[in-house]
Amino acid sequence: MGYKLQQVRESAGMTQDQLAAKSGVSRNWIWKIETGKTDNVSIKVLLALANALGVKIDDIFFLDE
């Protein structure tokens, strides 16, 4: 599984700090997701990020094929 969070965040014109403030997810955690430093992201975190960006969870992650 991989994440398109940075691409979606930048398309929304948001910085990591802005997304953190809007989603309640720490900027450090957002950085880890965007840089692939973690692959253990809960549905709760994905939902918070998706809601803050105004997208569906499917829009910020993808399955490796």
Side-chain angles (χ1 to χ4, degrees):
M1 182 166 48
Y3 299 93
K4 300 182 284 185
L5 180 60
Q6 182 175 4
Q7 177 185 1
V8 175
R9 176 182 57 76
E10 289 176 348
S11 292
M14 295 178 82
T15 65
Q16 288 181 346
D17 287 328
Q18 290 169 326
L19 180 56
K22 191 169 182 180
S23 67
V25 176
S26 75
R27 192 200 60 76
N28 187 49
W29 193 240
I30 292 168
W31 175 82
K32 285 181 179 181
I33 295 168
E34 289 186 353
T35 59
K37 302 292 182 192
T38 185
D39 59 1
N40 186 22
V41 183
S42 72
I43 293 296
K44 181 179 177 181
V45 168
L46 288 174
L47 185 59
L49 293 170
N51 286 339
L53 291 165
V55 299
K56 297 180 283 186
I57 289 176
D58 293 354
D59 295 331
I60 60 173
F61 84 94
F62 61 91
L63 297 176
D64 293 331
E65 297 185 41

